[in-house]
Amino acid sequence: MAEDPSQFFSVEETETLGTESTVEPLQLGKRVKDIRLSHNLTLEEASKRTGLARSTLSKIENEQISPTFTAVQKLAKGLNIDIPQLFSSPKESRTAGRRDITRKNEGKPHPTPTYEHEMLAAQLSNKKILPYKTTVRARNFSEYPSWVRHDGEEFMLVLKGSVILHTEFYEPVEMFEGDSTYYDGGMGHALVSTSEEDAEVLWVTSS
Amino acid sequence: MAEDPSQFFSVEETETLGTESTVEPLQLGKRVKDIRLSHNLTLEEASKRTGLARSTLSKIENEQISPTFTAVQKLAKGLNIDIPQLFSSPKESRTAGRRDITRKNEGKPHPTPTYEHEMLAAQLSNKKILPYKTTVRARNFSEYPSWVRHDGEEFMLVLKGSVILHTEFYEPVEMFEGDSTYYDGGMGHALVSTSEEDAEVLWVTSS
DNA sequence: AACAAAAATTTCCTATTGGAAACTTTTGTG
DNA sequence: CACAAAAGTTTCCAATAGGAAATTTTTGTT
C-alpha cells in the first residue's frame, strides 16, 4: 500500500553493532546435535542423509571445527532444517513467555492522511507478526502518491464496510466484510474505501 | 491452545529431501557483495570491519571458496547483517509477486472437536503468516485434554461473541468482540466460548 | 559384571580455506 | 590518453576443514 503501517511506526529496535568482531557463542554444534537427536538419528544415519562424513558431523557437533558454508548447506538439506532457523538467534524473541491483550479501540493510534492505524499488542516489541486495526479513509486511488514495496508478507481481513484492493500486477478487486487477502509485501498495494462510512480492516504484516 | 490450527493442518509442505545432497546455488557471494556495496564499502574497509583479509572477502564474493561458519559470523557482525537474513532463501517465499483472496466463509475447512478452523489464503504455501478464521465450540476448559506449546507467536482477534482465553502463567481473561491478544506460542493456551452462539475469532500464527 | 554390537570420537591424511603480498584492473585527473 | 592511486584479484603458503579407518565409549543383553 502507499501507506503501510510498518512504514510509519519504527516499531522494532535495530541491533547495535561493534566495529570489532568478537564473535558470539551461538552454539551451532549443540543445535545441530539437538536437531539430529530430535529426529532420532545416529551419526551414521545423519551422515547418509547429509553426505557428510560421520567424523565431520561429530566434529561439528563438538565444536571442534567450523563447518564451511557448503557443509552447513548439506546439513540443512539433509536434516530438513532451514538455515535461517538454524542460526536464528538465541537472543530469543522478547515475546517469550508473554501475553499482551489489547481491548477494542485501545491500540496505539497512528493517523496518516489516508489511513487511521491502530497498532495492536504494542506493549510487545520484536514481534514476528505486526497486527494493526486500520480505518480506511481514502475514497479514491488517486489520493495515493505511489505505492510502496517492502519486505515481508501481508494479510488483510475486512472487518467492516467494503474496500477496493489495488495491487500491482493484479486487477483491483472489491472486498467485503469477512473477505481476506494475503500478498507479497514487495508488490505495490493500496486500499480504498467504497462504503458510506470509513471501512475497517485488520492488517497483519510479517516482520 | 490445546488445539492449535498449526497442529492440525499440515499446511506447508515440508521440503522434500534427497538422500544425496545436491546443494542448491544460493548466491552467498553475490549477496555479500551487494550488501558491501550498498554500504559503500571497499574490500579494504570491509576487511577492517570484519577482520577478514581482503583476499578472503574477494574470494567469498566471487564464490571461489566456501567460507567457514566462523568467517560468516565475522562477516555478519562486521557488516551488520543478521545471519538468518543473510541466508534466507532465494528459493524465496512462494508468495513472491502473488496475491490470494479468500471470500467470506470460503477458506479451507478443518473441523476438530473443539474448534472449527477455516484456513485463509490456503492457495499460498510457505507463508510467513498463517491466518485462520476459527469458530470456538468449546464451552468448558475441561473439554481440552491438555494445552500445547509450539514454536512461533500468535495473534488473535475476537470477531463475534465472547471467549475466555486461558494461557499458562496468566489468569484466564474474558475477551469480547474487537479485543485482541498476542502471545508466545510456547505457552500453553486454549479458548472457550462464553457467548450463546459459538464465538468466532481470527487466529494468526507466525511460521 | 562381561561381552557383543552399536554409536561416537580420534587419528591421520588429503583437500580446501584464509591471509600476506604480488599482481592486475579500474577509476579519475591532468 | 597517459599516469598514478585506488580497488580488486591471484598467487603462494600456512592453517584448518573434511573423509576413511582405527579406536574408544556407550548401550543393551545375558
Side-chain angles (χ1 to χ4, degrees):
Chain A
M1 58 209 128
E3 293 181 11
D4 186 62
S6 51
Q7 301 290 316
F8 293 107
F9 307 115
S10 77
V11 176
E12 315 298 316
E13 308 85 320
T14 26
E15 203 63 30
T16 46
L17 101 127
T19 167
E20 198 38 54
S21 308
T22 325
V23 170
E24 74 228 82
L26 185 79
Q27 308 273 66
L28 184 66
K30 187 178 175 342
R31 288 192 143 186
V32 171
K33 185 165 189 177
D34 286 348
I35 291 167
R36 175 174 64 84
L37 292 178
S38 78
H39 289 233
N40 268 100
L41 297 175
T42 64
L43 283 179
E44 178 58 33
E45 292 163 327
S47 167
K48 281 209 200 84
R49 297 198 186 202
T50 58
L52 292 168
R54 227 169 51 244
S55 55
T56 306
L57 290 172
S58 170
K59 288 178 221 166
I60 292 172
E61 291 189 352
N62 294 302
E63 324 241 305
Q64 289 176 20
I65 62 176
S66 172
T68 59
F69 179 58
T70 307
V72 172
Q73 282 185 115
K74 289 184 183 175
L75 250 179
K77 188 152 199 183
L79 299 185
N80 195 209
I81 47 189
D82 72 17
I83 299 181
Q85 178 192 320
L86 183 63
F87 293 127
S88 68
S89 45
K91 79 165 187 208
E92 64 190 282
S93 136
R94 298 211 184 75
T95 305
R98 301 188 61 194
R99 179 180 91 177
D100 183 11
I101 290 183
T102 310
R103 293 299 180 180
K104 188 169 187 171
N105 300 324
E106 308 222 322
K108 191 176 161 198
H110 205 288
T112 75
T114 41
Y115 296 114
E116 185 90 41
H117 298 299
E118 188 187 322
M119 187 191 199
L120 308 177
Q123 310 293 331
L124 298 174
S125 55
N126 267 90
K127 294 189 289 294
K128 295 189 175 170
I129 298 173
L130 304 174
Y132 301 89
K133 195 180 87 181
T134 299
T135 304
V136 182
R137 282 198 292 246
R139 286 293 189 292
N140 202 305
F141 186 41
S142 63
E143 297 183 30
Y144 294 90
S146 79
W147 45 33
V148 172
R149 292 160 204 79
H150 55 82
D151 280 350
E153 301 175 8
E154 298 202 358
F155 169 76
M156 190 219 78
L157 168 72
V158 180
L159 295 175
K160 217 175 77 187
S162 53
V163 296
I164 290 184
L165 169 69
H166 293 263
T167 11
E168 212 175 7
F169 316 137
Y170 286 86
E171 286 302 304
V173 196
E174 184 156 26
M175 299 181 61
F176 306 93
E177 188 177 319
D179 294 348
S180 64
T181 181
Y182 196 107
Y183 53 85
D184 173 14
M187 300 192 307
H189 41 281
L191 277 191
V192 166
S193 172
T194 50
S195 40
E196 277 298 303
E197 4 117 75
D198 293 343
E200 276 186 12
V201 306
L202 179 81
W203 224 322
V204 179
T205 74
S206 72
S207 65
Chain B
M1 57 210 127
E3 293 181 12
D4 187 61
S6 50
Q7 301 292 315
F8 294 107
F9 307 114
S10 74
V11 175
E12 313 300 314
E13 304 88 317
T14 25
E15 203 61 31
T16 45
L17 92 129
T19 164
E20 200 36 53
S21 308
T22 323
V23 168
E24 74 227 84
L26 185 78
Q27 308 275 69
L28 183 66
K30 187 177 175 342
R31 289 191 141 183
V32 171
K33 185 165 190 176
D34 287 348
I35 290 167
R36 174 175 64 84
L37 292 178
S38 77
H39 290 231
N40 269 99
L41 298 174
T42 64
L43 283 179
E44 179 58 32
E45 293 163 326
S47 167
K48 280 207 201 87
R49 297 197 185 202
T50 58
L52 292 168
R54 219 164 64 243
S55 55
T56 306
L57 289 172
S58 171
K59 287 177 222 166
I60 291 172
E61 291 189 353
N62 294 302
E63 324 244 306
Q64 290 174 18
I65 61 175
S66 172
T68 58
F69 179 59
T70 307
V72 171
Q73 283 185 114
K74 290 184 184 171
L75 249 180
K77 188 150 200 181
L79 299 184
N80 194 211
I81 46 188
D82 73 17
I83 299 182
Q85 179 192 321
L86 183 62
F87 292 127
S88 67
S89 44
K91 80 166 185 202
E92 61 190 280
S93 134
R94 300 211 183 78
T95 306
R98 301 189 61 195
R99 177 179 93 176
D100 183 12
I101 292 183
T102 310
R103 293 300 181 180
K104 188 170 188 172
N105 299 324
E106 308 222 322
K108 190 175 161 199
H110 205 289
T112 74
T114 41
Y115 296 114
E116 185 90 39
H117 299 299
E118 189 187 323
M119 186 189 198
L120 308 176
Q123 310 293 331
L124 298 174
S125 55
N126 269 88
K127 295 190 289 294
K128 294 188 175 171
I129 298 174
L130 304 175
Y132 301 89
K133 195 181 89 183
T134 300
T135 304
V136 182
R137 282 199 294 245
R139 286 294 189 293
N140 202 306
F141 185 41
S142 63
E143 296 181 31
Y144 294 90
S146 79
W147 46 32
V148 172
R149 292 159 203 80
H150 54 82
D151 282 349
E153 301 175 8
E154 298 202 358
F155 168 76
M156 191 217 76
L157 168 72
V158 180
L159 297 174
K160 217 176 77 187
S162 53
V163 296
I164 291 183
L165 168 68
H166 293 262
T167 10
E168 213 176 7
F169 316 138
Y170 287 86
E171 287 302 303
V173 196
E174 185 156 24
M175 299 181 64
F176 305 93
E177 189 177 319
D179 293 348
S180 64
T181 182
Y182 195 106
Y183 53 86
D184 173 14
M187 301 192 306
H189 42 281
L191 277 191
V192 167
S193 171
T194 50
S195 41
E196 277 298 301
E197 3 119 74
D198 293 343
E200 276 187 11
V201 305
L202 179 81
W203 226 322
V204 178
T205 74
S206 71
S207 64

